[in-house]
Every structure is written in C-alpha cells, then in structure tokens.
Amino acid sequence: QVQLQESGPGLAKPSQTLSLTCTVSGGSISNGGYYWSWIRQPAGKGLEWIGHIYTSGTTNYNPSLKSRVTISVDTSKNQFSLQLSSVTAADTAVYYCARGYSTSWRGYWFDPWGQGTLVIVSP
Amino acid sequence: DIVMTQSPDSLTVSLGERATINCKSSQNILYSSNNKNYLAWYQQKPGQPPNLLIYWASTRESGVPDRFSGSGSGTDFTLTISSLQAADVAIYYCQQYYSSPCTFGQGTKLEIK
C-alpha cells in the first residue's frame, strides 16, 4: 500500500525558509487524482491544513499561509515538497504529509499520513 | 473558514461502555447536489499521525472495527464507539472538507475510567 515519509531539517532559524520533502512509496505520485498535502500540528494542539498539489500539478494553499507557502512536485523522484518562508517561532510544529482523496470536487479526506517530522524554529 | 467545534474536550469512559463525541460545524456541510455530508473522523494515538476512521460522515474506512460509527447531518455530527476497548484511548478529530480551507475540530481526548 502507499506509504509517505517526511524528511528535512529539524531546525530552522527565524526569518529563514523551512524546506521539507515527502517521499511516496508503493504507488506513483502521478496517478490517480490525488491531492498531495501538507498539514501541521503544533505541540499539544490541533491540526492545520497548509496546502496541496494535485496530480495535475495545480496547487491550493491555506489563505492564512498563502503568502509564505510553496508546494512543488518531482515526479521523477516520486516526491513532493513544502517551502515555508519567513518562519517564526509560531511555525514550530510537527509537519505531516498526507494523501488527499475524494470522489467529489469539493474537498477530500486524508489517508494515509506520513509519520510526521518535528520542525523547531529557534535562533 | 468553517469552524469545527468538538465536545467534550475530554471524555472518560469505562471499558465496554459507549463513548460519544460530538462535532458541530459553523456552516452546513451537507451538499444538496449529492446529499453527502463532507465530514471525516480521525483517531490519533500518542506519537502517531492521525488515522482515518470515517468519511462522508458515516462511511467506515476499510479495516476500521465496526464498533466505530458516525452519524449526523447538516451541522451536527457524532462519533460513537459502541463498546470501548483499551486500544481506543486516543484523541479524536473531526474534519470538514466541504469548503477550502478544510478545517479540523480541536480534538477530544478519550481516556479509560
């Protein structure tokens, strides 16, 4: 079955750009009409959707983060990536990648998820 | 954004008893064109990512035990665990996917009495 795994630095300095990669195994990232997504969870808090890149390459971002977020895909490596610029301590969180799926154009649920990676923003 | 509010924030239930978690959306998430409620439920155990339990408000994901069930429509939804097992200790989240950005409830922590 499809599995996702996040990778990237666990530490970022304020004002810098956070960069994470999600490697997809067990299936091609190019197939199937999925929404390859990033979601984050600050320690002890709830879940916040960051954005997605669709199978076609189109992206959609949470308006609360849109000015700072870029999600891209590398189909040759079966990976998609997150860049979050101008980070502050408020961006400290566990970052998850996940596959979004639905039979409706309106929206989708997430399954499966990666294990998550903790990113701490600190000088 | 649609605000999802769960109740209670925490819940303590005896083994074998029923657990009920509520989720209320600030707007209707029933799409009249297909008569589907755009709501999912997840279970998150400590140190693990969320795991999909239910989508379309009441459709159980493959492999999820049938003691988990979802119900509700419009703005009010419920996740029920019919007979609580020790393995069900977790935080449960609802998610609406009716409109972008999708949003999650704040979570309900379920513990054993």
Side-chain angles (χ1 to χ4, degrees):
Chain A
Q1 73 278 20
V2 171
Q3 293 183 308
L4 291 78
Q5 179 66 58
E6 305 87 352
S7 59
L11 189 63
K13 294 187 184 304
S15 81
Q16 291 188 341
T17 296
L18 174 165
S19 296
L20 297 173
T21 296
C22 182
T23 300
V24 179
S25 59
S28 172
I29 201 169
S30 301
N31 296 339
Y34 296 109
Y35 300 85
W36 302 99
S37 304
W38 289 96
I39 298 152
R40 69 181 183 179
Q41 184 174 36
K45 296 189 177 181
L47 298 155
E48 180 181 33
W49 174 74
I50 299 170
H52 75 239
I53 186 162
Y54 187 55
T55 304
S56 65
T58 57
T59 55
N60 187 26
Y61 303 134
N62 193 321
S64 68
L65 298 168
K66 187 173 185 176
S67 62
R68 300 194 290 130
V69 173
T70 302
I71 297 176
S72 59
V73 65
D74 186 337
T75 54
S76 67
K77 295 182 179 179
N78 226 33
Q79 297 175 334
F80 64 105
S81 298
L82 168 70
Q83 290 193 309
L84 181 66
S85 64
S86 305
V87 296
T88 69
D91 295 310
T92 294
V94 174
Y95 285 76
Y96 295 101
C97 58
R99 185 182 70 176
Y101 178 71
S102 176
T103 54
S104 168
W105 61 269
R106 288 199 75 102
Y108 50 85
W109 55 85
F110 300 100
D111 181 60
W113 298 56
Q115 282 298 309
T117 187
L118 174 63
V119 178
I120 297 173
V121 179
S122 175
Chain B
D1 298 2
I2 296 178
V3 177
M4 306 300 290
T5 304
Q6 292 180 228
S7 62
D9 289 332
S10 63
L11 182 61
T12 305
V13 176
S14 300
L15 289 173
E17 296 299 306
R18 177 185 301 258
T20 302
I21 298 170
N22 301 301
C23 176
K24 187 174 184 67
S25 58
S26 62
Q27 301 174 32
N28 173 57
I29 56 174
L30 170 63
Y31 188 35
S32 57
S33 294
N34 60 10
N35 200 36
K36 288 184 180 292
N37 288 284
Y38 283 59
L39 185 101
W41 286 98
Y42 301 86
Q43 175 192 65
Q44 186 177 33
K45 296 182 179 181
Q48 296 185 21
N51 181 52
L52 176 69
L53 297 174
I54 285 168
Y55 54 93
W56 297 132
S58 61
T59 301
R60 201 179 303 114
E61 170 70 341
S62 175
V64 173
D66 61 7
R67 64 179 181 274
F68 290 92
S69 63
S71 63
S73 185
T75 61
D76 292 280
F77 301 89
T78 300
L79 174 70
T80 302
I81 307 172
S82 60
S83 178
L84 190 69
Q85 307 297 306
D88 301 335
V89 169
I91 299 175
Y92 292 84
Y93 294 95
C94 59
Q95 175 222 346
Q96 69 80 18
Y97 49 98
Y98 182 85
S99 67
S100 183
C102 71
T103 49
F104 296 84
Q106 81 277 16
T108 294
K109 186 174 185 179
L110 177 58
E111 298 175 305
I112 304 289
K113 186 182 292 183

